[in-house]
């Protein structure tokens, strides 16, 4: 067995079916497990175990600001933008922005419960800034 490490994120959701449709479009994979009130995605790239847990109406997301996927280049950000747009997801662009002490190119999407995800190409942007 490979020594593979994955990040595990468990999100409370108000509608598992609607959230599965969103994350299926976002990551391009089907859930590996889908039961009443629960779904699990086993995503290879980026290595992620994402679970969706039915909570009812989501009133508060706690201290969570947002979630993100860092990619190698702006070209990958733009490829993600094109794929997500084709899947019908609403996208917000933030290209060439100064954020977190770095120059970044990024896009944002929000899931059905308002969890915000960014895809950012910070590494390329940092080399341009140095």
């Amino acid at each position: 067995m490979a020594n593979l490490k994955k990040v595990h994120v468990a999100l409370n959701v108000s509608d598992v079916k609607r959230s599965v449709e969103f994350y299926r479009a976002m990551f391009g994979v089907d859930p590996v497990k889908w039961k009443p009130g629960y779904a699990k995605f086993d995503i290879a790239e980026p290595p992620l175990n994402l679970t969706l847990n039915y909570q009812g109406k989501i009133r508060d997301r706690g201290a969570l600001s947002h979630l993100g996927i860092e990619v190698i280049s702006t070209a990958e950000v733009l490829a993600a933008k094109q794929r997500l747009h084709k899947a019908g997801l609403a996208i917000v662009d933030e290209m060439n922005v100064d954020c977190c002490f770095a120059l970044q190119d990024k896009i944002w999407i929000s899931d059905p419960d308002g969890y915000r995800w960014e895809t950012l190409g910070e590494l390329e942007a940092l080399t341009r800034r140095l």
Side-chain angles (χ1 to χ4, degrees):
M1 180 173 178
N3 186 14
L4 179 66
K5 295 181 181 178
K6 286 188 174 189
V7 171
H8 171 62
V9 174
L11 297 177
N12 291 330
V13 300
S14 60
D15 183 327
V16 173
K17 182 178 186 282
R18 191 174 69 168
S19 293
V20 163
E21 291 168 0
F22 175 86
Y23 287 105
R24 181 185 281 144
M26 181 177 171
F27 290 110
V29 298
D30 289 326
V32 294
K33 193 180 292 184
W34 191 354
K35 306 287 183 188
Y38 176 84
K40 176 183 176 183
F41 287 86
D42 187 18
I43 301 156
E45 187 63 36
L48 175 63
N49 170 349
L50 175 67
T51 59
L52 309 172
N53 303 287
Y54 176 74
Q55 180 66 32
K57 185 172 174 124
I58 305 299
R59 298 175 198 266
D60 183 21
R61 285 177 291 283
L64 178 66
S65 169
H66 66 277
L67 301 149
I69 300 168
E70 188 174 300
V71 296
I72 300 298
S73 67
T74 297
E76 287 187 58
V77 173
L78 296 175
K81 177 183 174 181
Q82 182 177 14
R83 183 178 56 76
L84 296 169
H85 178 72
K86 187 176 179 180
L89 302 180
I91 302 161
V92 175
D93 280 351
E94 281 192 344
M95 297 297 168
N96 202 33
V97 295
D98 195 355
C99 178
C100 305
F101 303 98
L103 191 60
Q104 300 175 344
D105 292 325
K106 60 175 108 178
I107 59 170
W108 292 88
I109 59 176
S110 293
D111 86 351
D113 288 298
Y115 294 109
R116 297 179 327 124
W117 285 84
E118 70 176 329
T119 300
L120 69 135
E122 184 173 317
L123 299 176
E124 180 180 277
L126 280 174
T127 59
R128 285 197 315 250
R129 192 169 196 194
L130 295 177

